[in-house]
Amino acid sequence: MPPSETTVGTMDNTRTLERQRHLPTGSDPGVRTWLRTAGEFARSPEGHAALMGFFGAMMITFGGFGAGAVRKRDPLLEALHLSWLRFGHGYVLSTIAIWIGVLLMITAWVRLGRTTLGKGDSMVTLNELRAIVGIWITPLLFAAPMFSRDSYSYLAQGALLRDGFDPYQVGPVANPGVLLDNVSPVWTTTTAPYGPVFLLMGRAITSLTGDNVIAGTIALRVVMLPGLALMMWAVPYLTKHLGGKPTVALWLAVLNPLVLVHLIGGVHNEMLMVGLMCAGVALVLERHHVAGIVVVAIGVAIKATAGVALPFLVWIWILHEKERRAAERRAALDSDTALTEEQKHPDAARPSADMPHPLFVFAKIAGIGVGVFALVFGAASVIAGVGFGWVTALQGSNKIINWLSLPTLLAHMVTWVTPLAFDSVLDVTRLLCQIAMVALLVATWWRFRHSEREAVMGIIIAFVAIVLLSPAALPWYYSWPLALAAGFAMSTRTLMWLVGICTWLMLVFQPDGSIGLYNFWHVALATFAAVVAALSLRTVDPLHLRSASSKAAAPESAPPVRA
């Protein structure tokens, strides 16, 4: 990655507190300190950004009752006489409210980014950023599902397991009821592509909430919160090994509206999967290898994509083993010659004086990792009472067609210049891209093995390859590589690119979960907003709107000149 344009130093998590005179007399010193801190935060740029993002989240929540991925029939809105929000002018107003809320959150996020990068008079701390995460997600916890209807599928699949069906053998259509009524038609016959731990969670939620869609949706969001907490811990912690800045990492990977609005507002199990995957990688980097693999295995039992990290963690474990043996030999010989030898052979796959044959070491460590993973996943499957049908169910994503996926984009391009049918071309492009993806994953795993940083970079590249080359891609899939990439030191220019990409991905889907990619004006406006957001990370007013308005106001306020 390009060198950082910003100075990355040791971060201070404290604020300089000025003495305030107007505090309640006789109040507890701890309360007074908290009031001083809260008052200073509220007056700071980051406090203003926190408030703006909160109002944005509130508008998304209220607009979502009419224009979100709402239920087909909503007795609650009918009882409150608010059904008009879902139709006609009410729907238009709800949609406008959502988009204003989204833009407010993006604006607040970019402003907070400028402060986090130190492009202002104050610096934001980790604890303040974590507090802002809580402020922004609070309204979203009670919103209708946003930008996706997946939560209804989660509940229906959990109800299948609750009612004695195998979600890996039958789709929600086998269990008619209120939950099935709200599942997107394309998924009613599709078997569950998720791991046994997530199915167990769905069974527990539907056992508690029954067929109450509102209570089930809120319970799903509550279940996702541990994943968010793990991200808030692990993402800044990864910077210790990857060289980034903790506050920038937390701002980019967690406070990102693409993550909060889609993963919390949209209720996606990526929230749990990504949190567990990041925590597992952090544990392995800290040499808690078995514990890290256990955590990643639980992530795989949520969603299979987390398993991409496991082969790269084997390299990190081997490197740590080499370092441990080299340290022991240096201590025994009291010599520095071993250090020179170690520097000549940093590759985890090459022999060295401290290690047995690399194939033996690899087989041993990989065998331990596979055994730990099999134990965790097998236990979850036994408890859930299901088999391994989720492997074949992964093909269900083939039903998603949009040109965020490279095979779909290539198929569209071929049909633009040839008379071939789209479906037949899509089958070919998907096959070619799957072959390319497998080859790229293997090559990446072998290439990025020389150090901890390289292994984590390999995981990032593997995730990006899967998102781009797999048959289906959705905006929130980019949270997979983003969570790990945030741990690296990045230049302001690189961060601007990431802000633009995340903003564009946030805006190209409709609030009700439909795709906006095939509407030219929708894509054009999303692209314009993304460019403005990217430029705003470095420039306060990239469109020069303030300067133009001030110039226009200047002649009006100037006194008339007499001849």
Side-chain angles (χ1 to χ4, degrees):
M1 288 194 179
S4 177
E5 295 175 9
T6 57
T7 304
V8 178
T10 304
M11 194 187 62
D12 183 9
N13 276 338
T14 62
R15 276 186 174 272
T16 302
L17 303 177
E18 297 180 358
R19 188 177 300 276
Q20 297 184 3
R21 299 178 182 178
H22 304 291
L23 291 173
T25 57
S27 59
D28 182 81
V31 174
R32 299 179 69 185
T33 300
W34 183 88
L35 289 172
R36 286 199 299 270
T37 304
E40 186 182 69
F41 174 74
R43 294 190 299 271
S44 66
E46 54 269 30
H48 297 161
L51 190 61
M52 177 184 289
F54 175 76
F55 281 124
M58 290 287 290
M59 294 194 71
I60 293 172
T61 297
F62 287 117
F65 294 139
V70 295
R71 292 182 289 170
K72 293 182 178 179
R73 181 178 180 275
D74 198 326
L76 180 61
L77 284 184
E78 293 173 4
L80 296 174
H81 304 289
L82 294 175
S83 294
W84 60 274
L85 290 172
R86 302 176 57 185
F87 307 101
H89 295 304
Y91 178 80
V92 172
L93 291 174
S94 298
T95 303
I96 292 172
I98 290 174
W99 285 123
I100 291 176
V102 169
L103 293 176
L104 282 175
M105 286 195 74
I106 292 173
T107 303
W109 177 57
V110 173
R111 287 186 179 183
L112 197 59
R114 287 201 300 266
T115 304
T116 304
L117 292 174
K119 298 181 180 299
D121 297 330
S122 64
M123 290 289 290
V124 66
T125 69
L126 261 182
N127 287 337
E128 288 169 342
L129 290 176
R130 289 175 177 136
I132 293 172
V133 172
I135 292 170
W136 286 7
I137 68 167
T138 299
L140 296 176
L141 292 175
F142 306 98
M146 300 303 305
F147 295 92
S148 171
R149 303 186 67 86
D150 282 3
S151 60
Y152 302 129
S153 296
Y154 296 162
L155 293 173
Q157 290 159 4
L160 283 174
L161 192 61
R162 177 198 66 188
D163 296 337
F165 298 94
D166 185 347
Y168 296 153
Q169 299 297 324
V170 298
V173 71
N175 194 19
V178 176
L179 297 180
L180 173 64
D181 293 343
N182 292 284
V183 176
S184 178
V186 73
W187 302 124
T188 54
T189 58
T190 305
T191 54
Y194 309 116
V197 169
F198 189 68
L199 291 182
L200 285 170
M201 291 178 177
R203 182 175 71 180
I205 288 172
T206 52
S207 297
L208 289 173
T209 62
D211 290 343
N212 188 314
V213 179
I214 296 177
T217 301
I218 294 175
L220 273 173
R221 287 198 176 103
V222 172
V223 167
M224 304 298 175
L225 291 182
L228 181 64
L230 286 173
M231 283 188 70
M232 287 195 289
W233 167 75
V235 169
Y237 196 86
L238 287 171
T239 60
K240 173 183 175 183
H241 297 271
L242 304 180
K245 187 176 179 182
T247 49
V248 174
L250 185 63
W251 163 77
L252 177 62
V254 181
L255 272 163
N256 195 322
L258 177 67
V259 173
L260 295 183
V261 176
H262 273 303
L263 299 192
I264 295 295
V267 204
H268 291 290
N269 55 13
E270 269 84 2
M271 188 83 265
L272 274 174
M273 184 207 77
V274 173
L276 288 164
M277 184 266 296
C278 289
V281 171
L283 287 171
V284 170
L285 290 173
E286 282 295 301
R287 302 174 188 265
H288 303 296
H289 306 109
V290 173
I293 290 176
V294 167
V295 173
V296 175
I298 297 173
V300 178
I302 299 292
K303 190 167 185 175
T305 316
V308 172
L310 289 171
F312 294 91
L313 299 183
V314 172
W315 290 134
I316 298 175
W317 193 344
I318 294 174
L319 288 166
H320 289 169
E321 182 67 13
K322 291 186 71 170
E323 292 171 1
R324 184 184 67 81
R325 289 175 179 253
E328 289 177 353
R329 181 154 65 91
R330 286 197 298 272
L333 300 176
D334 194 24
S335 169
D336 289 333
T337 56
L339 178 61
T340 303
E341 184 70 17
E342 192 70 11
Q343 291 174 339
K344 291 180 181 178
H345 301 288
D347 192 335
R350 294 180 59 183
S352 68
D354 306 305
M355 299 284 282
H357 193 279
L359 286 178
F360 174 79
V361 178
F362 176 82
K364 176 185 175 182
I365 291 179
I368 295 173
V370 170
V372 171
F373 170 79
L375 182 63
V376 173
F377 203 93
S381 298
V382 170
I383 295 172
V386 294
F388 295 94
W390 61 274
V391 177
T392 56
L394 294 175
Q395 297 299 320
S397 61
N398 291 351
K399 296 180 179 180
I400 302 174
I401 298 177
N402 67 63
W403 54 265
L404 285 180
S405 171
L406 184 60
T408 305
L409 177 60
L410 292 175
H412 278 302
M413 294 174 66
V414 170
T415 57
W416 293 340
V417 296
T418 68
L420 298 175
F422 174 78
D423 290 340
S424 59
V425 175
L426 183 62
D427 291 338
V428 175
T429 56
R430 281 180 169 177
L431 176 61
L432 294 175
C433 285
Q434 284 181 337
I435 295 172
M437 179 175 66
V438 172
L440 182 59
L441 291 178
V442 173
T444 301
W445 176 72
W446 182 253
R447 163 64 180 82
F448 291 89
R449 68 186 187 276
H450 301 90
S451 66
E452 293 177 344
R453 288 166 60 94
E454 279 201 5
V456 177
M457 180 60 70
I459 300 173
I460 297 170
I461 294 173
F463 275 138
V464 173
I466 290 173
V467 173
L468 291 177
L469 297 175
S470 62
L474 294 166
W476 50 91
Y477 288 3
Y478 286 87
S479 64
W480 309 343
L482 183 67
L484 294 177
F488 287 88
M490 287 179 271
S491 67
T492 302
R493 183 177 297 275
T494 301
L495 290 171
M496 289 171 63
W497 274 100
L498 290 175
V499 165
I501 292 170
C502 290
T503 299
W504 188 84
L505 290 169
M506 178 69 250
L507 297 175
V508 292
F509 265 45
Q510 297 283 3
D512 62 357
S514 58
I515 301 172
L517 291 167
Y518 294 96
N519 183 315
F520 172 79
W521 291 110
H522 188 120
V523 175
L525 290 173
T527 304
F528 174 76
V531 172
V532 173
L535 295 175
S536 297
L537 186 64
R538 185 169 58 187
T539 306
V540 174
D541 184 19
L543 299 179
H544 304 292
L545 298 177
R546 296 181 183 178
S547 57
S549 60
S550 61
K551 289 178 181 178
E556 295 178 4
S557 59
V561 179
R562 296 182 180 180

